Amino acid sequence: MEAKKGILMVISGFSGAGKGTLIKKLLENYDNYALSVSMTTRQPREGEQDGREYFFVTREKFEKTIAESGLIEYATYCDNYYGTPKAWVEEQLAAGKDVILEIEIQGALQIKEKFPESLLLFVTPPDAAELKRRLEGRGTETAEVIAKRLSRAYEESEGMDAYDYIVINDDLMQCVRELHAMIEAARNEPVRRKDFIARIKEEMKTFRTEQ
Ligand code: 5GP
């Protein structure tokens, strides 16, 4: 029988759409998911730990990792590099884990190109006004930062069509269940069951009769 390989999935979404909380709940409620930790050149924020939120590295180290083909994708975002370390992702997939990459759209498109069987999910609130309300409600950002993020959200909305599923985050727990159900359903799409299809097609040949 075919080895059970995990699904490589990308979760992107507008800043303020609740993507982080959604992923946290997914990891808490189901045990087959593994969240990749990216490498970045940006400075750690208050409370962030090296190796937990990100691997915080210098530009030199990042560029060396690119040169050594150590990343499966990378992008620049607001003047910093962000990238996904290759070895860990490959290990987890081989062990049958469904690997989540929480990355932005340039990275998502590279992943789809390199791994056509990857699953691209985009998290959005039900409408634009709700996104603004959520960003303002957090009370952690200045009006200027909020305006920047909303403008960035406009740009990101232009790329939503490239994703496999849109995840509308209205009620959080309902959204977590829906997201999990989407991933489970995606497991049996032919693009992800190529080995199974190849085997059963071979087996069926024994039933062939010449017409
Ligand atoms: P932040 O600086 O707010 O943590 O992240 C900024 C953006 O970079 C977010 O949209 C986040 O999803 C994205 N990001 C984080 N890690 C990666 C990565 O490894 N690759 C890419 N392409 N984007 C990433």
Side-chain angles (χ1 to χ4, degrees):
M1 287 289 140
E2 300 72 29
K4 184 183 168 281
K5 207 168 164 264
I7 297 181
L8 178 60
M9 71 188 101
V10 168
I11 302 188
S12 304
F14 305 124
S15 169
K19 190 176 45 171
T21 317
L22 198 57
I23 294 173
K24 192 162 161 263
K25 291 282 167 211
L26 202 60
L27 292 167
E28 276 171 17
N29 284 274
Y30 306 96
D31 58 16
N32 207 44
Y33 298 107
L35 178 63
S36 161
V37 177
S38 296
M39 188 181 271
T40 184
T41 57
R42 87 148 159 76
Q43 292 301 308
R45 293 191 190 119
E46 184 89 26
E48 286 184 335
Q49 255 179 42
D50 186 41
R52 190 180 65 188
E53 279 79 14
Y54 285 103
F55 295 105
F56 296 99
V57 299
T58 58
R59 287 190 87 80
E60 292 69 37
K61 165 80 180 155
F62 199 101
E63 285 168 358
K64 188 163 174 274
T65 313
I66 298 174
E68 291 168 351
S69 307
L71 302 173
I72 54 173
E73 63 72 39
Y74 70 93
T76 44
Y77 180 94
C78 300
D79 303 327
N80 279 301
Y81 278 130
Y82 292 82
T84 305
K86 185 152 109 186
W88 188 87
V89 170
E90 286 178 347
E91 270 165 36
Q92 297 294 314
L93 289 173
K97 288 277 186 188
D98 297 319
V99 175
I100 302 174
L101 311 182
E102 186 191 339
I103 64 178
E104 50 68 66
I105 187 163
Q106 304 165 63
L109 297 177
Q110 290 176 50
I111 291 291
K112 195 68 185 177
E113 173 102 19
K114 282 196 200 154
F115 308 92
E117 73 288 3
S118 61
L119 184 64
L120 268 50
L121 305 156
F122 193 95
V123 182
T124 168
D127 56 57
E130 175 64 18
L131 184 69
K132 188 161 182 273
R133 255 196 309 278
R134 286 187 197 173
L135 279 173
E136 288 171 348
R138 294 210 287 216
T140 49
E141 273 97 11
T142 60
E144 193 192 340
V145 171
I146 292 174
K148 231 186 195 164
R149 294 202 173 190
L150 287 172
S151 155
R152 174 86 199 174
Y154 153 70
E155 285 168 29
E156 285 170 345
S157 70
E158 295 287 307
M160 286 171 74
D161 303 84
Y163 284 75
D164 295 307
Y165 288 106
I166 299 304
V167 183
I168 301 171
N169 186 9
D170 193 355
D171 176 85
L172 177 67
M173 285 320 291
Q174 190 186 333
C175 187
V176 171
R177 284 190 294 274
E178 277 175 18
L179 181 55
H180 180 66
M182 281 176 196
I183 298 163
E184 284 303 305
R187 210 178 288 289
N188 287 319
E189 282 185 83
V191 68
R192 287 179 203 93
R193 296 306 299 264
K194 282 192 177 136
D195 292 348
F196 175 87
I197 293 173
R199 173 176 58 79
I200 207 154
K201 273 183 167 173
E202 249 339 277
E203 290 171 1
M204 291 300 160
K205 283 186 184 162
T206 59
F207 301 146
R208 183 171 51 188
T209 53
E210 299 307 331
Q211 301 283 337

